[in-house]
Amino acid sequence: MNRNRLLNGLFVGVLTSVSLLLSAGSASATVHSLSFSGEVFQYSAGVLSSTNATVLLSYDHSPLPNSTHNYTLDLTGNLSGGGTTNGLLTNMNFQFKDNGNVIFSGVEAAPVQFHVVGNSAALLGEYTNGVAISPVAGMAPSGSFSIGLSGWNGVTTSGSGSGGTFTVVPEAGSSAAMAMLIVGGCVVGVRRRRTK
C-alpha cells in the first residue's frame, strides 16, 4: 500500500478524533464552531504566519455567505522545531476578518502543539478571544482549536533557517471536509460551565 496514503489517513483520523473529543468534553455545555478552508501558511525564520488570504467560513456547520463578504484570516506565531518536526507555537494570535473588519480574534492560552505526519501537520491548542461579533457573536470567550495543514514544500532543515509553505486541505465541500471541516481547519469554541 501507499505509505503516504496511510500516513495521511492516520493524520485525518487523529484530527477527527481530537475534534470529536473536544466536542464530547463539553456535551452538556453550549458549543459553537467556526471552520475555515482555503488558506496558505508561510513558515520563515521561525515564524508561522498567514496574512490576509481569502478563506471560506462555516459557523455551526453552516457556510457563511460570500456574495458581499470577503472573509480572511491573519495568524502568526513563533514555531520551535521548524516546519518539518514536532514543536510548539508560542505568541500565537489570530483574526478572522470580514471585508477588513475583525469579526473573531484570539490569542493562545498556552503553547500550541505542532504535530507533523509526513508532509502534513496539525496545530492543537487552547485560546482566549478578544472579539466575537456578528455573524459569529456566539463564539465562546475561550475554547479549543485545531488546524490541519498539508502540502509542505519547504526546506527540510529545522530551526530558524527553514522556510516554505503549508496549504490547508481539503477545500470546503469536498468529500473529506468532515467533522466540522476539521482537516480543512477549525476553531472550536467551548463555552465553559459556570460553577456555583
Side-chain angles (χ1 to χ4, degrees):
M1 293 188 79
N2 187 312
R3 183 173 181 270
N4 285 336
R5 180 174 280 183
L6 287 173
L7 286 174
N8 285 338
L10 174 63
F11 174 69
V12 170
V14 167
L15 284 180
T16 303
S17 297
V18 168
S19 171
L20 295 175
L21 284 172
L22 290 174
S23 298
S26 58
S28 60
T30 300
V31 177
H32 296 284
S33 68
L34 180 64
S35 306
F36 71 94
S37 66
E39 185 58 278
V40 174
F41 287 78
Q42 305 289 332
Y43 176 68
S44 179
V47 176
L48 182 71
S49 63
S50 179
T51 306
N52 200 37
T54 300
V55 294
L56 300 176
L57 280 183
S58 178
Y59 180 59
D60 285 352
H61 320 294
S62 297
L64 295 177
N66 282 86
S67 58
T68 59
H69 301 273
N70 179 31
Y71 298 112
T72 58
L73 169 65
D74 291 343
L75 183 147
T76 186
N78 300 318
L79 177 60
S80 64
T84 57
T85 60
N86 294 334
L88 293 176
L89 195 64
T90 55
N91 300 318
M92 192 201 84
N93 62 78
F94 60 86
Q95 294 182 331
F96 286 94
K97 298 178 181 179
D98 178 5
N99 289 311
N101 299 312
V102 177
I103 58 172
F104 186 72
S105 66
V107 297
E108 69 176 37
V112 176
Q113 298 176 47
F114 181 83
H115 296 282
V116 176
V117 178
N119 288 329
S120 299
L123 303 178
L124 306 172
E126 303 269 330
Y127 70 87
T128 57
N129 87 315
V131 175
I133 64 173
S134 180
V136 294
M139 289 291 289
S142 60
S144 303
F145 70 88
S146 59
I147 298 173
L149 309 172
S150 186
W152 170 249
N153 69 354
V155 179
T156 57
T157 56
S158 63
S160 61
S162 298
T165 60
F166 279 106
T167 56
V168 174
V169 294
E171 292 80 10
S174 75
S175 61
M178 58 184 175
M180 299 183 297
L181 290 175
I182 193 67
V183 291
C186 184
V187 177
V188 181
V190 180
R191 196 175 296 281
R192 298 183 178 167
R193 293 184 214 173
R194 293 185 179 181
T195 56
K196 293 182 178 181

